[in-house]
Amino acid sequence: MQKLFLALLLVIGQAAHADFLTENRGQWEGKGYISTGLEWPVYIKFLSKSAEVYTPDDGCEAIWTFESVGQNIIRGWEQVTVGADRCYVGLKFVVTRHDASRIKVDWFQMNGMHVAEALLWRVQ
């Protein structure tokens, strides 16, 4: 009985993860911000187990690897693939639901210092 209960919890957990990822799959666009007031466009394409990120103002591209996925949150790390000389490198990120139509991304240095945030809308 205990094994059946644990298996059921695992299936429920996987369904919650799949729903959040399925809900976010596709292309998103919005604006990134830092505390000095600087803004820039951000484009994100969520895939099943990763995401592609593009910030055209600085010509940077990155791949996101998901570390953990919850019902309303995705955590992971960013690997800059283009523009490492112009972008922050080695950041962690957190994606949360901002409201019914937007998601919020927060970027952090490995020491936990907040670097930037972005609000994004799904591209139709």
Side-chain angles (χ1 to χ4, degrees), residues 6 8 15 21 24 26 48 56 61 65-66 76 80 88 90 95 99 104-105:
L6 290 174
L8 182 60
L21 289 174
N24 288 305
S48 62
E61 297 178 25
T65 301
F66 302 150
V80 175
Y88 283 103
V95 180
D99 58 28
K104 182 180 181 201
V105 179

Side-chain angles (χ1 to χ4, degrees), residues 9-33:
L9 285 177
L10 180 61
V11 169
I12 290 170
Q14 288 176 342
H17 294 273
D19 289 344
F20 189 71
L21 289 174
T22 299
E23 181 181 316
N24 288 305
R25 276 195 198 131
Q27 296 184 19
W28 294 76
E29 66 180 39
K31 292 241 183 234
Y33 308 89

Side-chain angles (χ1 to χ4, degrees), residues 49 64-69 74-77 92-93:
K49 295 182 181 180
W64 281 359
T65 301
F66 302 150
E67 182 177 15
S68 65
V69 178
I74 298 173
R75 295 177 188 271
W77 61 92
K92 294 185 101 40
F93 66 85

Side-chain angles (χ1 to χ4, degrees), residues 41-88:
V42 178
Y43 300 90
I44 300 175
K45 181 177 181 182
F46 283 93
L47 307 169
S48 62
K49 295 182 181 180
S50 64
E52 300 169 346
V53 182
Y54 177 55
T55 55
D57 283 7
D58 53 18
C60 293
E61 297 178 25
I63 298 292
W64 281 359
T65 301
F66 302 150
E67 182 177 15
S68 65
V69 178
Q71 207 165 14
N72 294 306
I73 191 168
I74 298 173
R75 295 177 188 271
W77 61 92
E78 180 175 273
Q79 178 185 3
V80 175
T81 56
V82 175
D85 58 327
R86 300 178 299 273
C87 305
Y88 283 103

Side-chain angles (χ1 to χ4, degrees), residues 23 28 97-103:
E23 181 181 316
W28 294 76
R97 203 179 316 273
H98 183 72
D99 58 28
S101 62
R102 295 181 293 175
I103 59 173

